[in-house]
Amino acid sequence: MRIRAYDLRSNAQEALFRVQMLTGDETLSRSAEDLLADVTTLSKTDSRTELDDARVRTRDDISRLVRAAKQHL
């Protein structure tokens, strides 16, 4: 599970850099940074229930970030 979380964090970090390169929108960049921090905490959850809840929350946040980023492309 920790290896998968590491892979997800790497992918999220790459996406963050892309957002920052493609737009100068500070709110969008800050949202991406906050999301990366949330994804980073996935590997530190104490229970499967906590992990599942965090995964749903970060998945929804990623969807919102993608929709917001599309407005800048």
Side-chain angles (χ1 to χ4, degrees), residues 39-66:
V39 168
T40 299
T41 64
L42 288 175
S43 65
K44 298 174 181 145
T45 56
D46 294 325
S47 70
R48 181 62 192 206
T49 302
E50 188 179 336
L51 174 63
D52 290 343
D53 291 344
R55 287 180 63 219
V56 168
R57 188 178 62 252
T58 55
R59 183 195 64 218
D60 292 346
D61 290 346
I62 289 168
S63 294
R64 278 191 290 279
L65 181 65
V66 167

Side-chain angles (χ1 to χ4, degrees), residues 7-67:
D7 288 341
L8 290 172
R9 184 188 180 285
S10 294
N11 290 339
Q13 191 169 31
E14 289 174 17
L16 167 63
F17 294 147
R18 284 188 211 106
V19 165
Q20 290 173 330
M21 286 189 300
L22 294 175
T23 181
D25 187 293
E26 286 299 317
T27 302
L28 188 61
S29 287
R30 208 169 14 257
S31 294
E33 289 170 0
D34 292 344
L35 181 55
L36 176 59
D38 290 345
V39 168
T40 299
T41 64
L42 288 175
S43 65
K44 298 174 181 145
T45 56
D46 294 325
S47 70
R48 181 62 192 206
T49 302
E50 188 179 336
L51 174 63
D52 290 343
D53 291 344
R55 287 180 63 219
V56 168
R57 188 178 62 252
T58 55
R59 183 195 64 218
D60 292 346
D61 290 346
I62 289 168
S63 294
R64 278 191 290 279
L65 181 65
V66 167
R67 283 193 304 273

